[in-house]
Amino acid sequence: MEQKNVMTSADQSTRLTGHSLEKENSRARVLDVGFWGLTLLLAISAGAVLLWIIVQTALEAIPAIQEFGFGFVFGTTWNPVTNVYGVLPQIYGTLVTAFIALVIAVPLGIGVAIFLTEGFAPKWVTTPIAFAIELIVAIPSVVLGIWGIFVLIPFIRPIFGFLNTYLGWIPIFSGSGGLGNSLLLVGLVLSIMIVPIIISITRGTLEVLPKDLRNGSLALGATRWETILRVMIPAGLSGIVSSIMLAMGRAMGETMVAAMLVGNANRINISWLQPGSTITGLIASQFGEAGRTQVAALMYAGLVLMILSLVVNILAEVIIRRFQNIE
């Protein structure tokens, strides 16, 4: 009898334990499904916001699209008085300033990232440098614009004058006058803004590479520089290219610095020492006082900028996948 009672108690205990485990599993499944639904909702929301912005911008631009058509992209006149609009000088200025910024920021950013990750200095030196670089990202672009006007232009005007005087035979340094607000000045400030992006992503890429790559190369007799140039950089090339493309997108979309420093001259000038214009600078400087047709033209210009950024991102994705395949 007693044995039967013991067995009954054991069965009840087993059933309770099984029921408890079943409840816990059920709760875990509910949490999993809830978490999956939440992440799905967030992902859809991000895509929906992007789609909303694109559609709304396109709808606002429809009057200009209908009136100016594809010729808007190749037009060089921007005249609110006669309502004739073309955005080619702004496309040229946007691409040239982004190119100048990348020419300066890419070698600087990759060089600093290598310095911070490859043991060229102790941590008490590299940690403050990395912290200072991250602080640059936090500086508002309007502050950099004011700094550019009151500090950088007076400082850099003699250098621009030197380039114009002695290297003026090169088209990008030709022309006369100006030597203040210019495409080159905007490119310089943009390079300051995007170099932390390149440093941070490149540094993160180099840090997560397997140590066996570095140690194996050194064990085979390669020097430190050979290891960096022939092993570490090729291995992290997809991350480095990603950082460059993200930085380019940031440079193309920057507004305040372009509006304050580019000079807002509606012309295409080969010389980087002359004023120019960018799409973001045009929108920021004219949107407040624009009439209906001009607003539509500005939205059309914004749509063109979004398409340019989309092309850059697609190009970046293609390049990254190609380098990943090489790896």
Side-chain angles (χ1 to χ4, degrees), residues 92-104 156 160-161 163-164 167-168 170-188 261-263 267-277:
Y92 171 78
T94 299
L95 294 178
V96 167
T97 53
F99 174 76
I100 295 170
L102 287 177
V103 167
I104 299 170
I156 214 162
F160 283 5
L163 293 173
N164 183 249
L167 299 176
I170 302 175
I172 59 174
F173 299 131
S174 62
S176 59
L179 306 182
N181 297 79
S182 61
L183 297 172
L184 183 55
L185 179 69
V186 175
L188 283 172
L261 299 178
V262 76
R267 61 173 179 264
I268 297 175
N269 202 321
I270 298 298
S271 175
W272 294 355
L273 300 179
Q274 299 300 314
S277 181

Side-chain angles (χ1 to χ4, degrees), residues 110 185 203 306:
I110 295 175
L185 179 69
R203 182 186 171 203
M306 281 196 286

